[in-house]
Amino acid sequence: MEINFKGPVMPIDPYSQLVFVEILNIILIAKHIMDVNRYLIDRNVNPLFGSLSGYFRWSFANDRFTLWQRTDYNSDMCFPHRILDMPFCMLATKDKENDKRTFN
């Protein structure tokens, strides 16, 4: 899987980089784009952790997963640059590779 980073993660507080790494780990362990959505939602609503969406805004639109960083925790405003942007087909391809290993 190839992920192209479009811009830097801004250090708005000590946790912003850790939250980004957590989102990146979710993308890397997911087998399909629907897993990314489910894992993000499950992790976001867990009261034991801070809110991922408090730091970042993401979108599943036009066959792409896009991530923006908020200018402050729970802010409505985001920095103008995207952090990453990846087509769904990257995860679908990864999913097919896992199926080949399982069935062959």
Side-chain angles (χ1 to χ4, degrees), residues 14-26:
Y15 302 107
S16 57
Q17 289 95 350
L18 295 173
V19 172
F20 174 72
V21 169
E22 189 159 351
I23 291 171
L24 189 58
N25 284 335
I26 286 171

Side-chain angles (χ1 to χ4, degrees), residues 35-48:
D35 287 340
V36 173
N37 190 32
R38 184 168 31 93
Y39 295 156
L40 285 172
I41 291 170
D42 288 347
R43 170 54 184 78
N44 202 47
V45 298
N46 189 334
L48 298 175

Side-chain angles (χ1 to χ4, degrees), residues 7-20 23 52-59 66-84:
V9 175
M10 306 304 282
I12 61 170
D13 70 15
Y15 302 107
S16 57
Q17 289 95 350
L18 295 173
V19 172
F20 174 72
I23 291 171
L52 299 179
S53 63
Y55 289 96
F56 294 92
R57 192 183 104 212
W58 54 80
S59 168
T66 308
L67 184 71
W68 295 270
Q69 184 179 7
R70 297 183 187 278
T71 55
D72 200 10
Y73 186 76
N74 278 336
S75 172
D76 289 336
M77 295 179 59
C78 292
F79 290 105
H81 63 275
R82 296 170 293 181
I83 302 295
L84 63 88

